[in-house]
Amino acid sequence: MWEQISANRTRSIILVIFMGAVLIGVGFALGDYFFGTPYGGVAIAAVVWIIMTLVAYFQGDSILLATAGARKIEKKDHPRLFNVVEEMTIACGLAKMPDVYIIDDPALNAFATGRDQNHAAVAITSGLLQKLNRDELQGVIAHEMSHVKNRDVLLMSIAAVLLGTVVILSYYFSRMIFFTGGRGSRRSSDSGGSGGAIIAIVGILFIILAPIFTQLLYFALSRRREYLADASAALYTRYPEGLASALEKLAASTNPVAKANQATAPMYIVNPFRDKGRAATDWTSTHPPISERIRILRQMGHSASLKAYEDAYEKTAHSHVLPHSALAGAAAAVETRAPSAEGVVEEPDLTARTRETQNMLFGMANYRRIDCSNCGTTLRLPPNFTAPAVRCPHCGTINAVN
């Protein structure tokens, strides 16, 4: 989908230039206020712009993963998840498998980040690992892999870091106004006291415009990329129902993602915010309606092709969504496969998935495991446990801790 990739590159450049223009304008005003001349402020703003752009490009993914509380895992930590990611890497045609991260959160969600196909990562919540079967997990991973292949992840990384910069600036400008009382440099004050008025106006504008920038960014990033990722996921898995069923479970979840914020929300597969105790709503500025996405996937019938998705979208939305470059070389018909069998040795059921995920989280937290010498119950001891023995809560046996 070269049209989508090209569009994302263009948007990334526009975002960088726009942020530079905002910072230069602010530097001009602050330079006049603090130094009595705008040139010093402009120079500082230019340096900040260059640094933040480089940080967003080279370290944006690390910042976003850290913000989400994601921790990198290895294959031994969760072999089933790694197997699914490996399968989707091959299906997507990526040269390198993305790194895999886990977010210890009961919410059902996931996102991808990075700057290109060779520097990418997928992050999955522990709640999602517990609730989704293999077909549903494949659908979610394939969706996120599509963002990597289409270079959506670079756009999102730059957008989130630069948006975060704007929000931080708005906060500190408001504090600056409060603590300085609108007093600038002596030279600025001698020139008519306009410096205080300028800094006050700039600060107030940033306070007002920060949330507006957020909303404008959401619309600039376009909901269309989510439809494109859904279409690609259906093709890569050859099972549209897997992603449709996963989206149903994600929509029904009442848990918000604890560490999500306005800057990172567009990265997630569904809106990470929830009203307390309520499921996700269709009306959100960050994502297309979930019910519409599910309906399109289920109208694809027995074909998993991009053409089938385009036809289903046209029936639902009465418009087009996929770029011509994607449809031009796409196969007209791609037969869907049969669903995986849940409960067999290779495909754990809900209980087994819950135990599997819990064991992974305990291992990541460096808990020790000992088995009760009497009843065989597995006891997990935290890293700071120093007692020489522990009592089994089931049978009461005192077990020595080696």
Side-chain angles (χ1 to χ4, degrees):
M1 297 182 181
W2 64 267
E3 292 179 20
Q4 175 69 7
I5 295 173
S6 177
N8 284 334
R9 287 173 176 167
T10 302
R11 291 191 187 106
S12 299
I13 294 172
I14 292 173
L15 277 171
V16 171
I17 294 175
F18 174 75
M19 187 61 187
V22 171
L23 288 176
I24 294 298
V26 172
F28 187 94
L30 294 183
D32 182 69
Y33 176 67
F34 284 110
F35 309 123
T37 175
Y39 301 114
V42 169
I44 294 173
V47 171
V48 171
W49 175 40
I50 293 172
I51 291 175
M52 292 309 301
T53 300
L54 293 175
V55 167
Y57 184 82
F58 290 105
Q59 294 295 324
D61 54 345
S62 299
I63 293 172
L64 297 177
L65 288 166
T67 300
R71 297 180 61 185
K72 187 177 180 179
I73 65 170
E74 300 177 358
K75 188 170 186 176
K76 63 181 178 61
D77 297 316
H78 204 294
R80 184 172 62 91
L81 172 60
F82 264 76
N83 180 252
V84 171
V85 176
E86 288 169 349
E87 288 178 346
M88 293 302 101
T89 299
I90 296 171
C92 293
L94 297 180
K96 181 183 177 183
M97 174 178 159
D99 294 330
V100 181
Y101 285 75
I102 293 296
I103 304 170
D104 187 5
D105 195 309
L108 275 62
N109 228 312
F111 69 84
T113 187
R115 67 174 183 266
D116 55 40
Q117 297 184 16
N118 295 319
H119 304 86
V122 291
I124 302 98
T125 63
S126 56
L128 184 141
L129 276 181
Q130 293 182 37
K131 298 297 183 181
L132 301 193
N133 63 31
R134 187 180 187 85
D135 288 333
E136 295 162 344
L137 184 60
Q138 281 183 335
V140 170
I141 295 299
H143 176 100
E144 298 306 330
M145 293 286 205
S146 300
H147 287 314
V148 174
K149 187 163 187 177
N150 294 338
R151 298 200 68 171
D152 290 335
V153 290
L154 174 62
L155 173 63
M156 300 307 300
S157 295
I158 293 176
V161 172
L162 296 187
L163 174 62
T165 302
V166 171
V167 173
I168 291 173
L169 286 175
S170 70
Y171 174 82
Y172 281 107
F173 281 175
S174 65
R175 302 286 81 77
M176 192 183 302
I177 296 171
F178 177 79
F179 288 112
T180 64
R183 295 187 300 271
S185 68
R186 177 174 297 181
R187 179 176 175 182
S188 177
S189 299
D190 292 343
S191 65
S194 61
I198 291 175
I199 192 65
I201 293 172
V202 171
I204 292 171
L205 284 176
F206 262 89
I207 295 170
I208 296 173
L209 292 179
I212 298 176
F213 283 160
T214 302
Q215 295 300 321
L216 291 177
L217 177 63
Y218 290 156
F219 289 119
L221 296 179
S222 175
R223 299 180 178 190
R224 185 184 184 192
R225 65 186 184 84
E226 292 298 330
Y227 290 118
L228 295 175
D230 285 351
S232 299
L235 176 64
Y236 297 148
T237 61
R238 292 178 43 240
Y239 191 62
E241 178 58 28
L243 179 57
S245 179
L247 289 174
E248 274 190 331
K249 290 184 178 181
L250 269 64
S253 172
T254 58
N255 294 314
V257 178
K259 294 188 176 181
N261 56 56
Q262 291 293 337
T264 61
M267 299 191 310
Y268 289 88
I269 186 172
V270 297
N271 182 12
F273 303 126
R274 301 283 190 279
D275 292 333
K276 187 175 182 180
R278 300 186 65 180
T281 175
D282 264 352
W283 298 103
T284 167
S285 61
T286 61
H287 294 77
I290 301 178
S291 61
E292 182 176 282
R293 294 169 65 184
I294 295 171
R295 186 163 56 251
I296 293 170
L297 288 165
R298 287 181 169 160
Q299 286 183 351
M300 293 178 66
H302 297 289
S303 176
S305 68
L306 297 178
K307 179 64 166 59
Y309 187 91
E310 175 71 10
D311 292 342
Y313 182 89
E314 188 173 358
K315 291 178 183 177
T316 302
H318 307 291
S319 62
H320 300 281
V321 67
L322 298 183
H324 296 297
S325 61
L327 296 174
V334 177
E335 288 296 319
T336 57
R337 62 170 176 81
S340 302
E342 185 176 288
V344 299
V345 176
E346 295 83 3
E347 303 303 330
D349 58 16
L350 177 59
T351 301
R353 292 196 300 268
T354 301
R355 186 181 300 114
E356 177 186 51
T357 304
Q358 289 177 344
N359 288 338
M360 176 194 66
L361 294 175
F362 279 122
M364 292 170 59
N366 296 318
Y367 273 63
R368 289 182 291 171
R369 287 183 55 179
I370 66 171
D371 295 328
C372 177
S373 59
N374 182 45
C375 68
T377 298
T378 298
L379 308 176
R380 295 183 176 88
L381 308 179
N384 58 354
F385 187 86
T386 57
V390 61
R391 179 187 180 90
C392 177
H394 289 172
C395 66
T397 301
I398 303 299
N399 296 272
V401 177
N402 297 324

